Amino acid sequence: MKLLTTLLVIFTLLAGHVVDGQNCAGTPCLCQRRSDSMVTVIDCSNRGLTEIPDFQERFSGVLELLDFSGNELVTFDTSKLGFNFIGVSRIDLIDLSNNRLTSIVTGFAIPNVSPSYDKLNISGNNFDAFPSKAIPLEFARVDLVIDISNNQLTSLDSHFIADNANLGIPTLTFIARNNLIETVHIMAFANARINELHLDLRDNKLTNISQEFYFPISTNREFNLSGNPWNCDCNFRWILQSDYKEISQRAPPLCDNPAPLRNKELFDLRPDDFVCFPVPTTEAGERFGYYQR
Ligand SMILES: *[C@@H]1O[C@H](CO)[C@@H](O)[C@H](O)[C@H]1NC(C)=O
Ligand SMILES: *[C@@H]1O[C@H](CO)[C@@H](O)[C@H](O)[C@H]1NC(C)=O
Ligand SMILES: *[C@@H]1O[C@H](CO)[C@@H](O)[C@H](O)[C@H]1NC(C)=O
């Protein structure tokens, strides 16, 4: 009898229903659907889900929000959304924040398999590498936003954003705040045709970026570099003459090294302040002079 009850509970939990309206009555009640004539919200947040439920219902048109935040998902297999989402042309926001995700499988914007999105929130998960399947296969819309803050990424690798030079991303806002990123590969954003890049790398472990780092050229860019332990030695002097000053203005980065420059605003320094040790004898006096001030 006890076993039967347990099985019944498990079955009810697995066979997900989407419940209409603000209040969810009865069981099974995994997700709520709120819709008016224009938009639909599917809210599956904070339900202790370990799997994507079987929705048992077809959706169509544009979804405003598919919300799986605050669950216990470890992997997100987009194909599990299944047939029910084939009629969905686009989802404004897919929120997978605050789960335990380590992988995304199958991918987004695959015809007859999975929908596309404008904004994907995978912050607060357990990713230690960027899940390449997070990037929609096709993207023609104006603005793509991906938030992978509060994970454990250690690097942004070559071509991680797309291995497909035909993928056009007019504007990409990539937010990877508060990870453990030490290296950004010079070709990290090179392959996809990105016209405008907003890159938020605040609160990581970056000590430098390569002068060769490929940053898509456009008039409207932003690069947030604060909260990193920048090494302001002679190898980094080039940054003063670069565009980074202008595009990083709103979140000014501070130096962490060498010790005399600790907590100094990087873009307030003079080229001569960026020294390597041992300081060449001919110039040592002048440069050490600065340090003694
Ligand atoms: C992503 O989700 C987190 C947690 O819910 C939230 O704080 C953050 O603002 C969201 N990111 C974006 C870009 O909306
Ligand atoms: C630049 O960053 C890499 C990765 O952390 C590090 O190995 C290298 O020593 C750094 N170079 C300088 C000059 O700080
Ligand atoms: C940094 O990047 C974010 C996007 O994550 C943006 O909203 C914010 O205005 C930027 N600027 C500063 C000063 O943090």
Side-chain angles (χ1 to χ4, degrees):
M1 189 59 201
K2 211 168 178 185
L3 182 69
L4 196 69
T5 322
T6 317
L7 284 178
L8 204 71
V9 169
I10 289 173
F11 180 76
T12 338
L13 283 175
L14 289 180
H17 280 191
V18 176
V19 178
D20 236 325
Q22 294 297 332
N23 292 311
C24 169
T27 50
C29 172
L30 281 183
C31 303
Q32 289 184 357
R33 173 157 60 92
R34 303 188 287 273
S35 34
D36 59 37
S37 56
M38 297 302 287
V39 291
T40 299
V41 170
I42 299 174
D43 181 357
C44 306
S45 62
N46 303 307
R47 279 158 177 80
L49 299 179
T50 55
E51 285 185 33
I52 299 172
D54 175 3
F55 281 102
Q56 301 183 352
E57 167 182 356
R58 289 202 166 204
F59 306 102
S60 59
V62 175
L63 294 188
E64 188 182 11
L65 170 64
L66 177 60
D67 190 354
F68 278 103
S69 63
N71 283 295
E72 311 280 328
L73 301 175
V74 173
T75 183
F76 194 81
D77 182 351
T78 60
S79 71
K80 294 269 169 65
L81 293 172
F83 269 125
N84 305 303
F85 284 77
I86 283 175
V88 174
S89 55
R90 196 186 82 240
I91 302 177
D92 287 343
L93 167 62
I94 299 181
D95 191 347
L96 304 176
S97 64
N98 300 320
N99 278 275
R100 297 157 188 266
L101 292 173
T102 56
S103 68
I104 290 180
V105 287
T106 307
F108 296 97
I110 301 175
N112 293 331
V113 176
S114 59
S116 191
Y117 65 83
D118 283 3
K119 199 172 179 184
L120 178 69
N121 195 334
I122 46 177
S123 69
N125 280 286
N126 294 335
F127 290 109
D128 57 13
F130 184 78
S132 58
K133 298 285 188 197
I135 303 291
L137 208 62
E138 267 173 30
F139 204 84
R141 285 178 53 82
V142 178
D143 202 352
L144 181 66
V145 180
I146 295 177
D147 187 349
I148 189 165
S149 301
N150 303 305
N151 278 273
Q152 286 107 48
L153 303 189
T154 55
S155 63
L156 299 182
D157 297 332
S158 179
H159 297 135
F160 84 97
I161 206 76
D163 226 352
N164 171 7
N166 293 322
L167 185 79
I169 304 177
T171 300
L172 174 65
T173 301
F174 189 79
I175 310 169
R177 206 178 168 177
N178 201 28
N179 277 271
L180 304 168
I181 299 170
E182 278 180 23
T183 47
V184 178
H185 193 276
I186 57 171
M187 302 300 270
F189 294 90
N191 220 8
R193 288 180 287 110
I194 302 167
N195 292 335
E196 192 177 315
L197 180 61
H198 300 257
L199 187 52
D200 188 352
L201 295 176
R202 279 175 286 176
D203 308 316
N204 278 288
K205 307 273 180 213
L206 290 165
T207 57
N208 61 73
I209 348 167
S210 165
Q211 190 166 3
E212 278 82 54
F213 173 63
Y214 173 82
F215 201 94
I217 297 164
S218 79
T219 48
N220 198 354
R221 311 175 277 185
E222 190 172 19
F223 205 174
N224 297 13
L225 298 173
S226 60
N228 282 282
W230 296 108
N231 180 11
C232 301
D233 73 7
C234 64
N235 298 302
F236 212 33
R237 189 181 295 146
W238 64 269
I239 199 161
L240 288 188
Q241 262 85 54
S242 72
D243 292 349
Y244 289 100
K245 181 170 183 164
E246 180 200 327
I247 63 184
S248 313
Q249 236 166 13
R250 290 174 57 226
L254 306 180
C255 300
D256 191 53
N257 265 301
L261 297 183
R262 182 153 304 147
N263 294 328
K264 296 228 186 314
E265 265 192 38
L266 196 157
F267 291 115
D268 284 350
L269 298 178
R270 307 167 308 178
D272 277 357
D273 296 333
F274 289 71
V275 294
C276 282
F277 296 91
V279 177
T281 38
T282 47
E283 298 160 72
E286 191 192 332
R287 280 176 174 156
F288 276 115
Y290 170 73
Y291 288 138
Q292 253 109 60
R293 254 188 269 155

